[in-house]
Amino acid sequence: MILNDLIQIKEKQQAARKKIVLRCCMAAGCMSSDSKGVKERLEKAVADAGLLQEVEVRGVGCMKLCCEGPLVAADPQGALYVRVTAENAPSIVAALNGGKASAGQTDPQAPFFAQQFSIVLANSGVVDPERIESYIAADGYQALHEVLHEMTPKEVVETMVKCGLRGRGGAGFPTGLKWGTVAKSSGTRKYVICNADEGDPGAFMDRSVLESDPHSVLEGMAIAAYAVGADQGFIYVRAEYPLAISRLQVAIKQAKQMGLLGAGIFESPFNFNVDLRIGAGAFVCGEETALMASVEGKRGTPRPRPPFPAESGLFGCPTLLNNVETFANVPTIYRKGADWFAAIGTEKSKGTKVFALAGKIKNTGLLEVPMGTPLRKIVEEMGGGAPDGGAIKAVQTGGPSGGCIPAQHLDTPVDYESLGRLGSIMGSGGMIVMDDSTNMVEIARFFMEFCMDESCGKCIPCRAGTVQMHHLLNKIASRQATPRDLKKLEELCDLVRNTSLCGLGQTAPNPTLSTLRFFRNEYDALLQPDPHGPDRTGHAHKHELATK
Ligand SMILES: Cc1cc2nc3c(=O)[nH]c(=O)nc-3n(C[C@H](O)[C@H](O)[C@H](O)COP(=O)(O)O)c2cc1C
Ligand code: SF4
C-alpha cells in the first residue's frame, strides 16, 4: 500500500457513491431492537422499487440517539427516522418517491444533534464499520501515512504534547507525557495496549466507538506505536462486547490485507501488529496493572506502582497503555494539527469528551461536546431534561469512582478541574442523571455494592472496608443506623481512600462522600437517636463492625 493506493480507494468510493444513502444503525443498541431486520427490509424495498442504481442502504455505527432506535437516516434528504421496524421500513423507501413514511421522525437539527462537536464520533453513524474502504473514504489512514513519511517519532510525540490531549480513561493523564516516557524508556521490545475494558455501570462510549469506527482506534494505536517504538499492540476488550470484538476482528483482518497493519506499513520500515485479548468482565481488570497481568495470562489483580507501565509494563517491557477514546482522537489530531485540537475546549482540558447519557433523562444516548461545556447544556438542552416534567436532582459522573453533582451546580463547565472541585471526576464518560424521585442514599449504596462485589480482595482496606461501608449504608437505608454509624461510615471512607492499593479502593468512597457532601439531609432523615448517647471519642467500636 502506498499513498496513491489510498487516494485511488477514496476516489473509487466517491465515484461509486449513489445519489441517495439510507444509513441504518447497526450498533448494539439498535441491533437489539432488530435493526438487522430493518436493514434487510430496506434493501428488499430498494430492490423491489427498482432503485438499486440510485439508493445505497449502508449499515453504519451509532447515530447517538439510542433511546429512539432503530434509527435510519436518509441523505441528502436529511430525514432521520426513529423506532423503525421491519414492517414500516419499506415506507421509508416509498417516501423517497413522494410516498409517506409510516416510521416516526425526529429533527436532526434539534439541540441533541446540532450542539454536538464530533472528533471521536465524526465517523460514527456515517461510515460502514465493516468496510475499511468506507473509513478510507473518510480520510482514514491518511494521518498514519503522513506520520510515517513526514515525521520522526520524536516529532510525533512533540505534536501529542502540544495538542494537550489528556487520557480519556478516567484520570486525565497528559497523553503526550506518557508517550514521551515510553519513547524514552529503553527496552528491546515495547508494547501498545488499548484499554477497552469499560466497566463503569452506565458507560458505553468505548463500546460504541469500537462498534462504529474500529479503524480510528487501530490507526491511533499504529501512530502511537511508531512514536514510542513498539511493534506489537493488544486491545483488551471485555467478552460482554461481542459486536465490538467481531468488528475489531474484521477491521484487523482488513487492515492486514491492505498492508496497513503488519510488516513495512506504507512501504516504510515500520512494523506493527495488533491482537485482541478478551477480558472476562471484572471491573478491576480495567486498572492498568491488573489488565496487563490478565494479558500475561495471570490473575487480574493490581500491583503497586512504581514501576509504571511506561517503564516496566507488559512482560516487564515499556508499555504504552491508553483508553479507546484517547486512541480514537489521534488520527484527527495528526490530520488537522495540534493547534487545531488545542483550540477546542478549555485551558487545561483540550478537545472534546464523549458522554454516555443515561438515567432519568429524555434523550439517552451518546454525545460529544467540547470540554468546558456547562453540565446544564448537556442535560437540559441536549438531553431534554428529566422525562415527564420531573426536575433534575443530580448528575453522577465518573461511575463508581465519581460523585453526584447536585442541580445547583449544573452551570459547572465539564472539565477535569471543575468536576474535581465538586468532589467528582470526569471519569471515562458515563453520565447518569437523577430526578427528584431518586434516593441519594440508595445511589451511594448501589455504587458501594458494586465496588464491594468488584474488589479483587488483594488488599485489606478495600476488601474489608467496602463490606463494612456497604453494611453501614444498608443499616442507614433501613432506618436502623444512628449518628454514630454515620460517623463510622465517614471514618471508613477516609481510611479506605487513603490506604487502598489501587484506584478501585481509593475511589470507592467517592459516591458516598459526594452524596454526604450535598445530600446529608437525606442521610440524617433516616437516622435513629443513639440509645447510648453521642459517641464522645469519635471512634468506631470494633465489635459493632460486621464481618463478611
Ligand atoms: C478500577 C479501575 C478500573 C478502570 N477501568 C478502566 C477502563 O475500563 N477503561 C480505561 O480506559 N481505563 C480504566 N481505568 C484507568 C486505567 O488504569 C488507565 O489509567 C487508563 O486506561 C489509561 O488510559 P488513558 O491515559 O488514555 O486515560 C481504570 C482504573 C481503575 C482503578
Ligand atoms: S484496592 Fe481493592 S481492587 Fe485494588 S488491589 Fe486492593 S482489594 Fe484489589
Side-chain angles (χ1 to χ4, degrees):
M1 167 77 74
I2 56 169
L3 183 60
N4 249 352
D5 300 330
L6 211 58
I7 294 168
Q8 269 178 20
I9 293 170
K10 200 169 158 180
E11 285 173 354
K12 208 169 147 197
Q13 291 298 304
Q14 277 156 3
R17 196 188 149 99
K18 295 181 184 168
K19 255 183 11 209
I20 297 170
V21 181
L22 292 178
R23 290 179 283 126
C24 181
C25 177
M26 299 294 278
C30 284
M31 283 189 78
S32 66
S33 308
D34 192 31
S35 66
K36 192 163 176 271
V38 169
K39 182 166 175 273
E40 282 164 9
R41 287 296 286 273
L42 286 171
E43 283 162 347
K44 184 171 182 309
V46 167
D48 291 349
L51 292 172
L52 283 173
Q53 296 307 313
E54 288 87 26
V55 182
E56 174 194 347
V57 179
R58 186 186 303 165
V60 295
C62 180
M63 289 203 258
K64 301 167 191 153
L65 191 59
C66 304
C67 59
E68 295 281 8
L71 293 159
V72 175
D75 303 328
Q77 285 78 358
L80 183 55
Y81 297 97
V82 298
R83 297 180 190 266
V84 182
T85 61
E87 287 68 40
N88 65 27
S91 74
I92 293 174
V93 177
L96 299 174
N97 270 339
K100 188 166 165 23
S102 55
Q105 288 192 46
T106 191
D107 179 8
Q109 297 311 318
F112 180 82
F113 300 104
Q115 308 276 356
Q116 302 223 14
F117 188 106
S118 295
I119 299 175
V120 173
L121 299 181
N123 287 336
S124 180
V126 179
V127 304
D128 180 343
E130 297 192 347
R131 289 185 62 244
I132 191 169
E133 296 84 358
S134 191
Y135 180 69
I136 291 172
D139 299 330
Y141 288 106
Q142 197 178 299
L144 178 61
H145 182 276
E146 279 170 26
V147 160
L148 293 183
H149 287 279
E150 291 167 27
M151 295 172 87
T152 62
K154 193 164 168 266
E155 286 167 341
V156 178
V157 173
E158 281 164 5
T159 300
M160 188 45 74
V161 173
K162 196 171 167 208
C163 81
L165 176 68
R166 293 171 65 175
R168 302 302 195 229
F173 190 81
T175 306
L177 190 57
K178 201 186 262 189
W179 288 23
T181 313
V182 183
K184 279 187 215 129
S185 293
S186 51
T188 46
R189 190 124 209 231
K190 293 182 187 177
Y191 294 102
V192 168
I193 298 181
C194 172
N195 188 344
D197 195 54
E198 193 169 58
D200 287 13
F204 52 92
M205 310 75 50
D206 293 350
R207 170 174 63 71
S208 199
V209 169
L210 295 174
E211 287 173 359
S212 307
D213 195 17
H215 285 286
S216 67
V217 178
L218 294 179
E219 189 181 359
M221 287 177 74
I223 292 171
Y226 173 70
V228 303
D231 64 359
Q232 177 64 51
F234 292 101
I235 303 178
Y236 188 86
V237 53
R238 54 178 49 226
E240 286 105 325
Y241 285 1
L243 187 62
I245 292 170
S246 76
R247 296 250 159 101
L248 279 170
Q249 283 165 337
V250 170
I252 291 170
K253 192 170 163 208
Q254 291 178 346
K256 274 186 182 162
Q257 278 166 352
M258 284 210 176
L260 296 166
L261 284 178
I265 296 172
F266 279 125
E267 302 203 336
S268 76
F270 174 60
N271 309 325
F272 185 57
N273 274 305
V274 175
D275 288 311
L276 299 186
R277 287 293 178 269
I278 313 299
F283 177 59
V284 75
C285 283
E287 194 279 338
E288 56 190 20
T289 60
L291 185 153
M292 290 185 300
S294 177
V295 172
E296 288 172 2
K298 299 178 189 142
R299 185 173 169 180
T301 51
R303 62 154 171 83
R305 297 171 305 176
F308 287 94
E311 281 147 358
S312 175
L314 191 66
F315 302 113
C317 302
T319 301
L320 173 72
L321 191 140
N322 277 130
N323 163 265
V324 170
E325 191 180 328
T326 312
F327 282 126
N329 267 293
V330 171
T332 313
I333 291 171
Y334 289 89
R335 241 185 18 252
K336 299 202 172 181
D339 292 337
W340 173 84
F341 186 83
I344 304 159
T346 67
E347 196 198 332
K348 290 187 176 159
S349 304
K350 303 293 187 192
T352 59
K353 181 74 196 83
V354 179
F355 292 102
L357 202 54
K360 301 280 179 63
I361 184 95
K362 207 165 145 236
N363 300 328
T364 53
L366 274 194
L367 44 83
E368 182 174 4
V369 287
M371 292 276 192
T373 302
L375 198 48
R376 187 182 300 286
K377 183 169 176 177
I378 296 175
V379 295
E380 289 186 351
E381 221 178 298
M382 301 174 76
D388 309 322
I392 290 176
K393 181 172 178 179
V395 180
Q396 211 276 347
T397 65
S401 311
C404 294
I405 297 159
Q408 70 261 30
H409 288 293
L410 279 187
D411 291 316
T412 303
V414 177
D415 58 56
Y416 293 101
E417 283 70 30
S418 304
L419 294 183
R421 275 192 290 275
L422 289 175
S424 190
I425 60 165
M426 175 85 72
S428 55
M431 196 176 260
I432 302 171
V433 182
M434 292 143 196
D435 71 2
D436 45 12
S437 68
T438 312
N439 176 332
M440 302 313 279
V441 179
E442 282 301 328
I443 294 294
R445 192 162 73 139
F446 167 81
F447 281 112
M448 191 58 77
E449 184 164 334
F450 180 84
C451 291
M452 178 182 76
D453 290 345
E454 295 292 334
S455 166
C456 79
K458 183 167 177 171
C459 67
I460 294 168
C462 168
R463 183 178 71 218
T466 51
V467 175
Q468 297 300 341
M469 291 187 290
H470 182 248
H471 166 75
L472 289 166
L473 284 164
N474 268 339
K475 210 171 162 189
I476 295 169
S478 59
R479 294 177 181 274
Q480 288 166 12
T482 64
R484 192 177 294 192
D485 290 309
L486 187 57
K487 197 157 195 295
K488 265 186 240 166
L489 177 64
E490 288 182 291
E491 284 175 356
L492 273 171
C493 282
D494 209 38
L495 183 107
V496 173
R497 186 157 69 161
N498 292 322
T499 57
S500 290
L501 172 61
C502 87
L504 193 153
Q506 287 157 10
T507 60
N510 285 358
T512 302
L513 287 169
S514 89
T515 47
L516 270 168
R517 175 171 167 189
F518 294 115
F519 302 96
R520 196 177 185 99
N521 57 327
E522 295 194 25
Y523 285 82
D524 288 340
L526 295 167
L527 298 180
Q528 305 302 317
D530 195 328
H532 311 297
D535 176 5
R536 289 204 205 107
T537 65
H539 288 117
H541 292 242
K542 274 194 207 128
H543 64 274
E544 288 175 10
L545 294 177
T547 49
K548 197 171 186 181

